[in-house]
Amino acid sequence: MEEVKVVLVTGGSSGIGAATARLLAKSGMKVYAGSRRGILETPTEGVTPVQLDVNDAARTEAVVADIVAREGRLDAVVCNAGNGIYGPIEGTLEEEARSQFETNYFGALKTIQACLPVFRKQGHGRIITVTSVMGILQLPFQGFYSSVKAALLSLSESLSLELKGTGIQCCSILPGDVATGFTGARKLNVAAQDPDSPYRAKMDKNLKKIEADELGGMAPEVIGKAILKQLRRRHMRVRVIPRIDYAAVGALVRFLPEKSKLALLNFLYS
């Protein structure tokens, strides 16, 4: 097993990304934390901030090449950069829907594609995508976020099959509610801001529930520890849902009929 020594974390300036970067560095890994601003909210020894917009393929390739030039290797990438929009599917503008996919899906894809030639040349590498339990639990008014996380989860698992036997491993981490700045940064789409929306009462109740769950959620370090654990394993698991309660829900929905699953989600969030 090749030891993981050098890691690139996207979306690494705050939240899950920053917590992950700190934990990996504390474990002895050299971490490059990529973000659009290229800074760290909390400077940490062993973590080097880099300016990285994952929507810019050329910049992403340049960052990966620079890391390899400096370190002589890149052992793992954690695709964590993402954002969220909120609102009803009816009335969502096409550009709003596309923006949800640009960073969360295509940004991760560009990052993975930039790293794969390096991993292949080395004969080893690890790809971790931070998706969400919402990729398997479709919540109302976050349909595009659920969709993009489901797409990224599928991409990761398909890629794991394509890379079988190459020494390159893939793992998807599916967080549940996490207390980060993501809640405050959530964007309401145009339809969600309409005071006369036919969904107004339902959305107001739903958003309060979601925000309360997130603000009372687990610390981002819980996700960082799950990522560190996989990077230390000889063989990473393909899919990981941190914390036993979320893992139990994830296991339950695999066996529930779809009608029953949707009825449960409707009861909880509508």
Side-chain angles (χ1 to χ4, degrees):
M1 169 183 158
E2 190 73 31
E3 183 181 358
V4 176
K5 296 181 178 180
V6 182
V7 184
L8 170 62
V9 178
T10 68
S13 64
S14 61
I16 291 173
T20 298
R22 289 193 298 269
L23 286 165
L24 300 188
K26 188 176 180 180
S27 77
M29 299 176 189
K30 181 65 180 290
V31 182
Y32 287 83
S35 67
R36 290 183 177 181
R37 292 180 296 163
I39 62 174
L40 296 175
E41 289 186 353
T42 305
T44 303
E45 184 178 355
V47 180
T48 301
V50 291
Q51 192 281 320
L52 173 59
D53 181 351
V54 296
N55 294 316
D56 184 338
R59 176 60 185 165
T60 303
E61 291 170 3
V63 166
V64 170
D66 183 61
I67 293 172
V68 175
R70 290 187 188 192
E71 307 293 341
R73 62 193 292 161
L74 176 61
D75 302 301
V77 61
V78 179
C79 297
N80 170 72
N83 52 35
I85 61 171
Y86 179 91
I89 292 171
E90 180 183 359
T92 296
L93 303 178
E94 182 178 339
E95 55 264 34
E96 292 175 325
R98 288 184 180 277
S99 72
Q100 184 73 111
F101 276 81
E102 283 301 326
T103 299
N104 291 277
Y105 182 82
F106 288 106
L109 175 62
K110 290 169 186 174
T111 303
I112 291 168
Q113 290 179 330
C115 294
L116 275 173
V118 175
F119 293 162
R120 188 176 297 282
K121 185 177 180 180
Q122 293 174 161
H124 70 90
R126 296 179 178 230
I127 299 166
I128 292 183
T129 52
V130 179
T131 59
S132 170
V133 292
M134 286 176 59
I136 57 175
L137 296 172
Q138 298 74 30
L139 299 191
F141 307 115
Q142 296 194 82
F144 294 102
Y145 188 76
S146 286
S147 296
V148 75
K149 290 301 186 179
L152 187 57
L153 176 61
S154 292
L155 179 77
S156 174
E157 296 187 356
S158 292
L159 185 60
S160 71
L161 296 175
E162 294 180 13
L163 295 173
K164 198 76 172 177
T166 66
I168 306 170
Q169 301 181 43
C170 298
C171 170
S172 240
I173 304 288
L174 286 67
D177 293 312
V178 182
T180 68
F182 183 88
T183 303
R186 179 183 284 109
K187 295 179 180 179
L188 303 185
N189 66 15
V190 172
Q193 298 176 55
D194 179 3
D196 298 319
S197 169
Y199 302 98
R200 183 80 275 145
K202 186 180 287 189
M203 279 192 296
D204 289 344
K205 178 182 177 183
N206 174 265
L207 189 55
K208 286 180 181 179
K209 165 69 173 169
I210 289 172
E211 289 181 343
D213 287 348
E214 290 174 346
L215 293 174
M218 69 185 92
E221 285 76 14
V222 174
I223 311 305
K225 289 177 181 178
I227 291 171
L228 174 59
K229 181 178 180 179
Q230 294 307 309
L231 291 178
R232 283 176 164 170
R233 286 174 60 98
R234 182 176 182 84
H235 299 292
M236 295 197 302
R237 292 172 56 193
V238 175
R239 183 186 297 194
V240 174
I241 303 179
R243 217 169 77 171
I244 190 168
D245 51 348
Y246 289 105
V249 171
L252 176 64
V253 299
R254 293 178 62 185
F255 299 101
L256 274 178
E258 284 300 309
K259 184 177 180 180
S260 299
K261 182 185 80 170
L262 294 176
L264 176 61
L265 292 173
N266 181 66
F267 173 77
L268 293 172
Y269 292 97
S270 294

